[in-house]
Amino acid sequence: MNILITGASSGIGLALTNRLAKSHNVIACGRNQNKLDTVKHDKNVTTLAFDVSVKEDVENASKNIEKLDWLILNAGTCEYIDNPTRFDSALFERVISANLVSVAYCLEFLMPRLKDGGKLIIMSSSSMLLPLPRAEAYGASKAALTYLAKTLDSTLEHIDVTVIHPGFVATPLTQKNDFPMPFLVDVEDAATRIIKGVEAGQHTIEFPKRLIWIMKCLSWLPQPIWRSLARRMKK
């Protein structure tokens, strides 16, 4: 199979690249060619450097891509809004651009490269299940991605769509978090769960189950109760 992965130079994207390249041809994509050069240690890996948040970059990169079996849109970022009373619109715009608008660019220029019967995999987050403190930008982008993926799943006839809702995964991005991360998952374990889920034809992949169950239960609380809990968490 031919598989393209965005955000392949670190974290989940790198783990997926390493695992899938054992038996498939992988196009590992990222912004930084130097980082990508460290990824290209397998004969089945080719690299492609471009910025998914720049439309022209995505369009130009797409010209070098043949037909794909899987398209994994994994690239993204995370920044938190510490003081919503002084809302940081620049931060919000950066996160929405990196996590959401970039996916639209990839859908426009890369999805046409998918074969009939191919698989489109979109990396969302379990944060979309619950309105979490400081996650106004990140959570909004991921909730929108899930809605987008499920809409595509309902309307695309010859492409299978999978959306992924991981909990906390040990990556360079989550290392920056300054709060407890319950049920933290190893990145290799996360890659294994994702690949197994996609191969099994799952349209939604969520893990770890304990965290997902807790978050779903909390999402069913009346809003006044959750508001009180969320404000305590912020303190």
Side-chain angles (χ1 to χ4, degrees), residues 142-195:
K142 294 301 185 177
L145 276 181
T146 295
Y147 187 94
L148 173 61
K150 290 186 176 296
T151 302
L152 291 170
D153 185 39
S154 299
T155 55
L156 291 173
E157 296 184 2
H158 303 294
I159 295 174
D160 288 333
V161 181
T162 297
V163 63
I164 305 169
H165 297 151
F168 296 110
V169 179
T171 68
L173 199 60
T174 57
Q175 285 178 359
K176 300 177 183 179
N177 288 342
D178 58 358
F179 51 82
M181 294 181 285
F183 309 115
L184 185 68
V185 175
D186 176 80
V187 69
E188 297 299 331
D189 183 21
T192 298
R193 293 171 188 245
I194 291 168
I195 293 169

Side-chain angles (χ1 to χ4, degrees), residues 2-29:
N2 295 319
I3 300 170
L4 185 146
I5 304 174
T6 65
S9 61
S10 66
I12 294 175
L14 177 58
L16 287 171
T17 297
N18 291 336
R19 186 67 58 85
L20 289 167
K22 293 179 180 179
S23 52
H24 306 291
N25 298 316
V26 177
I27 303 173
C29 305

Side-chain angles (χ1 to χ4, degrees), residues 4 27 48 50 61-68 110 113:
L4 185 146
I27 303 173
L48 189 58
F50 65 97
S62 69
K63 298 173 183 177
N64 300 313
I65 297 169
E66 302 296 331
K67 284 295 184 179
L68 299 169
L110 299 180
R113 300 292 192 263

Side-chain angles (χ1 to χ4, degrees), residues 55-226:
K55 186 175 183 178
E56 293 76 12
D57 282 8
V58 182
E59 181 178 14
N60 290 332
S62 69
K63 298 173 183 177
N64 300 313
I65 297 169
E66 302 296 331
K67 284 295 184 179
L68 299 169
D69 296 280
W70 290 12
L71 173 59
I72 304 178
L73 302 181
N74 164 76
T77 190
C78 181
E79 293 185 70
Y80 297 113
I81 294 179
D82 294 320
N83 186 354
T85 62
R86 296 181 179 178
F87 200 86
D88 189 338
S89 62
L91 181 156
F92 189 87
E93 183 177 10
R94 284 196 304 273
V95 173
I96 295 297
S97 176
N99 290 355
L100 180 60
V101 178
S102 65
V103 169
Y105 297 154
C106 291
L107 292 175
E108 180 175 356
F109 297 110
L110 299 180
M111 190 167 66
R113 300 292 192 263
L114 270 175
K115 300 175 182 177
D116 283 356
K119 295 182 181 292
L120 171 65
I121 299 105
I122 295 177
M123 185 67 67
S124 181
S125 167
S126 60
S127 66
M128 56 75 55
L129 295 168
L130 198 61
L132 297 167
R134 302 170 63 202
E136 290 85 353
Y138 180 75
S141 70
K142 294 301 185 177
L145 276 181
T146 295
Y147 187 94
L148 173 61
K150 290 186 176 296
T151 302
L152 291 170
D153 185 39
S154 299
T155 55
L156 291 173
E157 296 184 2
H158 303 294
I159 295 174
D160 288 333
V161 181
T162 297
V163 63
I164 305 169
H165 297 151
F168 296 110
V169 179
T171 68
L173 199 60
T174 57
Q175 285 178 359
K176 300 177 183 179
N177 288 342
D178 58 358
F179 51 82
M181 294 181 285
F183 309 115
L184 185 68
V185 175
D186 176 80
V187 69
E188 297 299 331
D189 183 21
T192 298
R193 293 171 188 245
I194 291 168
I195 293 169
K196 285 184 176 179
V198 174
E199 290 178 338
Q202 296 179 13
H203 292 268
T204 302
I205 299 171
E206 299 178 323
F207 62 88
K209 295 300 182 184
R210 289 173 293 174
L211 178 64
I212 298 298
W213 183 82
I214 291 171
M215 293 183 72
K216 287 184 176 180
C217 288
L218 290 173
S219 73
W220 298 331
L221 290 173
Q223 179 60 18
I225 296 177
W226 173 247

